[in-house]
């Protein structure tokens, strides 16, 4: 597992994946859920897959053949990936919370100085 | 695309729908013709009645003509012999014009993952409804493709260099 750069878009994708971690989702669905464009989501999915946070698999052939369309690639969070994603998001949110609390104190210190 | 069987069926349906209005049109034409001919022989006082009769026939003729036109032209496609596709299938959408640039641009990706991504994008294109939506999606994907190619190639390079280091 490698450390990932947690950009805002990555966080959004991870949050949408974490909403239903066991559920399989395809790229377009993730784009809609995260509210991001495909050009942002696919590179993120690629990075997540390389880091081992996300697993992907092709759709069941019977389903796409019966619907008469090309097969889809479904993405799911791996167990380790889900744990790491939760941890990373929690770290970010605690850091943000700290930053919010620290701001008035810093401003007060600056004001005294 | 429409098949020859469906075209034949459509032609038969048009023929069947034309039979009644054509017969009515022929009868009315005969009537109008008779009215016009009879009006020539009328004297000054009888001309008004003859004109009225002709006008009525013309109105009837117009109705028949409209019915005939409606039967003749059920859709612009039938009129101009063009086969419009009212609803494109998923396979059409996946193999359409918008899919081609993506197919070409996938050459930027490493050869190992090229087919996989191209197929995945085709699968997504098949689901998106609306030409503009598909185009917007394709443009966005193309924009992200450069970044994706960089990520994939970097990892390929890394794995290759680690293999070299292991083998010595």
């Amino acid at each position: 597992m490698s450390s990932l750069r947690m950009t805002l878009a990555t966080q959004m994708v991870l949050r949408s994946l974490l909403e239903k971690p066991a559920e399989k989702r395809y790229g377009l669905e993730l784009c809609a859920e995260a509210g991001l464009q495909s050009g942002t989501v696919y590179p993120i999915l690629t990075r997540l897959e390389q880091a081992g946070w996300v697993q992907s698999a092709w759709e069941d052939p019977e389903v796409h053949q019966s619907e008469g369309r090309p097969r889809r690639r479904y993405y799911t969070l791996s167990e380790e990936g889900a744990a790491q994603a939760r941890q990373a998001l929690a770290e970010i949110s605690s850091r943000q919370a700290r930053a919010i609390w620290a701001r008035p104190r810093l401003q007060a210190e600056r004001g005294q100085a | 695309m429409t098949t020859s069987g469906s075209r034949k069926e459509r032609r038969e349906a048009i023929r069947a729908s034309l039979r009644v209005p054509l017969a009515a049109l022929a009868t009315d034409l005969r009537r109008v013709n008779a009215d016009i001919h009879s009006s020539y022989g009328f004297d000054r006082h009888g001309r008004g009645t003859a004109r009225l009769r002709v006008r009525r026939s013309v109105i009837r003729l117009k109705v028949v003509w409209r019915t005939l036109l409606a039967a003749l032209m059920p859709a612009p496609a039938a009129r101009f012999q063009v086969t419009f596709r009212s609803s494109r299938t998923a396979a059409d959408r996946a193999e359409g014009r918008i899919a081609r640039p993506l197919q070409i641009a996938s050459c930027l990706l490493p050869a190992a993952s090229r087919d996989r991504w191209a197929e995945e994008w085709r699968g997504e294109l098949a689901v998106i409804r609306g030409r503009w939506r598909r185009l917007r999606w394709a443009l966005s994907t193309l924009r992200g493709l450069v970044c994706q190619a960089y990520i994939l190639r970097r990892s390929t390079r890394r794995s290759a260099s680690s293999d070299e280091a292991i083998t010595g």
Side-chain angles (χ1 to χ4, degrees):
Chain A
M1 298 256 176
S2 62
S3 60
L4 276 165
R5 201 156 47 94
M6 293 299 283
T7 59
L8 194 65
T10 312
Q11 288 173 45
M12 285 160 89
V13 172
L14 281 174
R15 273 179 216 284
S16 58
L17 279 167
L18 277 171
E19 274 174 19
K20 292 163 194 168
E23 204 172 288
K24 290 189 287 181
R25 264 166 296 179
Y26 56 96
L28 201 67
E29 213 176 350
L30 280 169
C31 291
E33 277 179 26
L36 295 166
Q37 295 211 331
S38 58
T40 315
V41 171
Y42 285 120
I44 289 169
L45 284 174
T46 313
R47 275 199 291 135
L48 289 172
E49 205 177 350
Q50 280 185 354
W53 290 26
V54 163
Q55 290 170 335
S56 67
W58 287 114
E59 190 182 16
D60 190 22
E62 283 177 15
V63 180
H64 76 84
Q65 276 168 11
S66 65
E67 288 178 22
R69 57 170 172 74
R71 58 185 176 165
R72 279 178 192 153
R73 189 94 179 169
Y74 280 108
Y75 295 91
T76 41
L77 270 173
S78 63
E79 279 181 26
E80 282 181 51
Q84 290 210 3
R86 273 196 202 101
Q87 198 186 330
L89 289 173
E91 269 176 32
I92 286 163
S93 56
S94 68
R95 214 183 300 155
Q96 281 172 347
R98 255 183 278 142
I100 289 163
W101 284 109
R103 191 181 281 174
R105 202 176 59 204
L106 278 170
Q107 280 174 349
E109 280 170 12
R110 274 177 199 162
Q112 280 176 1
Chain B
M1 293 294 280
T2 51
T3 55
S4 60
S6 65
R7 220 180 252 178
K8 200 176 176 183
E9 281 169 14
R10 200 182 295 163
R11 209 179 297 147
E12 284 301 317
I14 290 169
R15 263 184 208 161
S17 63
L18 281 180
R19 253 169 234 147
V20 179
L22 269 176
L25 184 72
T27 318
D28 274 27
L29 274 174
R30 250 178 263 129
R31 259 185 218 161
V32 170
N33 194 30
D35 285 345
I36 290 165
H37 277 284
S38 62
S39 67
Y40 286 126
F42 275 40
D43 60 343
R44 200 180 167 185
H45 303 288
R47 259 176 210 165
T49 329
R51 270 185 202 151
L52 194 69
R53 209 185 293 161
V54 169
R55 189 168 285 173
R56 271 179 195 161
S57 298
V58 167
I59 289 164
R60 205 186 297 140
L61 198 67
K62 274 183 182 170
V63 172
V64 174
W65 180 242
R66 271 180 209 150
T67 322
L68 190 72
L69 278 181
L72 267 172
M73 300 189 290
R79 169 110 163 76
F80 299 107
Q81 293 291 303
V82 181
T83 51
F84 291 117
R85 281 167 292 192
S86 57
S87 58
R88 299 181 76 188
T89 60
D92 288 340
R93 282 195 291 270
E95 301 296 334
R97 275 183 208 163
I98 297 167
R100 269 175 231 152
L102 276 173
Q103 184 80 36
I104 295 161
S106 67
C107 293
L108 284 172
L109 302 174
S113 52
R114 209 171 283 163
D115 292 338
R116 178 239 146 143
W117 283 103
E119 194 171 357
E120 185 173 346
W121 291 330
R122 258 186 279 133
E124 305 284 33
L125 269 176
V127 186
I128 304 168
R129 289 199 176 257
R131 191 179 296 168
W132 291 110
R133 274 187 193 171
R134 272 200 298 280
L135 186 68
R136 210 174 64 177
W137 181 89
L139 286 173
S140 175
T141 310
L142 282 171
R143 185 173 55 80
L145 195 131
V146 181
C147 178
Q148 207 173 339
Y150 173 71
I151 293 163
L152 287 166
R153 283 189 185 277
R154 189 181 56 183
S155 74
T156 317
R157 221 176 293 147
R158 267 184 197 168
S159 62
S161 62
S162 65
D163 286 346
E164 276 174 21
I166 289 162
T167 51

